[in-house]
Amino acid sequence: SKELVAVVTIIPLLKETSDPKESFYSRISTDDDIVKIIVSIMGGMSSSQDKFQKILSTWEKYKHVWDYDKDAWIRRYSKANRTLASFEQDIQRYKEVQNEIQAEDTVVNMTFICIDCSPLKQALVGHCIGWQNKFTTLLHQNAAAELADLKELFFI
């Protein structure tokens, strides 16, 4: 609170004025220095828009990781009776995507803005692990079913 009192005493606009009905907004919106700062901030935001889009497009290449319905995809995958090599290839693909995601920059500093992508990275890595789990679970189920068929064949 000492810092706030110091700021109020240093900045005359924040001190009490003679008109008690005057709002904070009306005081700062008419101050030339504050308007210049706001215009500067807005200009910086506008000039950074292309850079923001570039950062967003960096993550678009991983859209397939979060966009598909995992359960529906696995149901279709299981009906296709894929080989063990196909399972291995798909599991490895999601491990590689996971490593690529983890290699992406987590924090990006642009002009006066710091973009922290760590929650996004964590979510994408979680989706990759989810895909790997779906594939390995299906592989386990297929192997268990084939073993049960073999067992039934020998005991009949």
Side-chain angles (χ1 to χ4, degrees):
S1 72
K2 290 181 182 180
E3 291 86 11
L4 184 58
V5 171
V7 169
V8 170
T9 57
I10 293 171
I11 302 174
L13 286 175
L14 297 179
K15 290 182 182 177
E16 299 245 352
T17 61
S18 58
D19 184 8
K21 293 183 181 180
E22 183 179 24
S23 69
F24 179 74
Y25 173 78
S26 64
R27 283 188 265 166
I28 64 169
S29 64
T30 57
D31 185 274
D32 289 338
D33 291 333
I34 292 178
V35 170
K36 287 177 187 176
I37 291 170
I38 291 172
V39 168
S40 176
I41 291 171
M42 291 175 68
M45 293 294 286
S46 295
S47 69
S48 299
Q49 186 173 6
D50 290 336
K51 295 174 187 172
F52 292 144
Q53 289 300 324
K54 185 178 178 186
I55 291 171
L56 284 176
S57 67
T58 300
W59 299 103
E60 282 293 318
K61 64 184 172 186
Y62 303 114
K63 187 174 183 175
H64 67 279
V65 173
W66 79 79
D67 202 33
Y68 297 130
D69 179 10
K70 292 178 191 66
D71 293 325
W73 179 271
I74 291 296
R75 279 192 301 273
R76 286 192 307 272
Y77 195 91
S78 68
K79 290 178 184 177
N81 292 325
R82 305 285 175 123
T83 64
L84 180 60
S86 293
F87 275 95
E88 184 178 7
Q89 182 181 8
D90 289 327
I91 292 168
Q92 188 60 38
R93 180 169 43 112
Y94 280 101
K95 285 183 180 181
E96 290 170 4
V97 170
Q98 179 181 349
N99 290 335
E100 287 177 27
I101 290 169
Q102 288 174 329
E104 294 284 351
D105 289 335
T106 302
V107 177
V108 179
N109 290 309
M110 291 185 337
T111 55
F112 56 91
I113 299 170
C114 177
I115 301 173
D116 183 6
C117 298
S118 55
L120 177 60
K121 281 178 70 170
Q122 289 173 350
L124 287 173
V125 166
H127 280 288
C128 287
I129 292 170
W131 278 108
Q132 294 169 44
N133 288 339
K134 292 284 184 185
F135 284 117
T136 55
T137 300
L138 178 59
L139 183 60
H140 173 74
Q141 290 170 349
N142 289 351
E146 286 182 26
L147 282 173
D149 290 344
L150 278 174
K151 181 180 176 184
E152 186 177 310
L153 181 70
F154 283 114
F155 290 116
I156 286 184

